[in-house]
Structures are given as C-alpha cells and as structure tokens.
Amino acid sequence: MGFELRPAQALRLLHRTSLSQARSQAPDLTLRQTAILLTIYLEPPPHTVRGLAARLNVTKPVITRALDTLGRMDLIERRRDDADKRSVLVRRTPAGSLYVARMADQFVEEAGALAS
C-alpha cells in the first residue's frame, strides 16, 4: 500500500466498505461468515470443517452453520474427501471468487478515497 493508515482511518475504511456492501445487491454476510470465506479464498487449500474450526478457534457446528449459508449463496461448495470419507472438503466456486474480487475492489476504491 502506498500510504499508512492510522487507526481511525482503518476504522473509516472498514465502515465505508461495509456501507458499500450493505447498499449493494450482493449477499449480506456476517463478520464470521466473511472471515470464513476469506480464509477459504486467501489461504491455500485444502480446507476442511475441522481445519476451519481450528483456524478460527470456534466449534465445528459454528463452521457448519456458516458454510450452510455460504453454500446456499453459492459462494462455496462442500464435498466428501475421497481419501478420507469422514472429512468434508470446502471448495471455492466461481460465484465466490467473483464476490471476493468485488469485495477487494471495494476496499481498494474506498482506500483510494481515504488517501485523496
């Protein structure tokens, strides 16, 4: 990034981006759902329910509920791991990739507005 953010600016960036997302036609995600989605898209796979629960320090049912919602929105998909039938792999989708890319674009746009 070409500039440093002070704490108040960082909060303003989060606020402006959140407002932009809330006003858009894109699905509304909770902060936890967003954290899970970004973990899936920004950290290397494979992703499992167990692994996501450990990474976010929450229970597997918390992850399962969030994945249910993200799956209904077509932002992720779940499949049984052929190598370990007890494990469920969480995968990216084209719609999810587009959602995350648009989210990134919103942050860049709002950061640019703060910098000017």
Side-chain angles (χ1 to χ4, degrees):
M1 192 175 336
F3 64 97
E4 274 190 48
L5 288 177
R6 294 185 303 278
Q9 288 174 309
L11 289 175
R12 194 168 299 114
L13 176 59
L14 179 60
H15 180 239
R16 290 174 65 139
T17 305
S18 297
L19 284 174
S20 177
Q21 289 176 335
R23 292 173 180 150
S24 77
Q25 298 299 316
D28 285 338
L29 300 182
T30 66
L31 193 55
R32 179 171 285 151
Q33 291 165 347
T34 301
I36 292 167
L37 184 69
L38 291 177
T39 299
I40 294 164
Y41 280 83
L42 297 178
E43 296 183 4
H47 299 288
T48 62
V49 172
R50 184 180 310 121
L52 289 167
R55 178 76 173 99
L56 279 80
N57 197 29
V58 297
T59 65
K60 289 191 302 184
V62 167
I63 296 296
T64 298
R65 283 191 302 272
L67 294 179
D68 287 345
T69 301
L70 294 171
R72 281 191 300 275
M73 295 176 178
D74 193 33
L75 301 177
I76 59 98
E77 66 179 12
R78 289 182 278 190
R79 296 205 189 269
R80 283 268 172 221
D81 183 353
D82 291 334
D84 180 359
K85 300 291 185 197
R86 299 168 298 159
S87 188
V88 175
L89 296 175
V90 181
R91 299 177 187 212
R92 302 166 184 161
T93 65
S97 295
L98 184 58
Y99 182 90
V100 170
R102 286 182 178 152
M103 183 187 303
D105 289 342
Q106 286 176 326
F107 268 94
V108 169
E109 183 179 320
E110 296 299 341
L114 280 177
S116 55

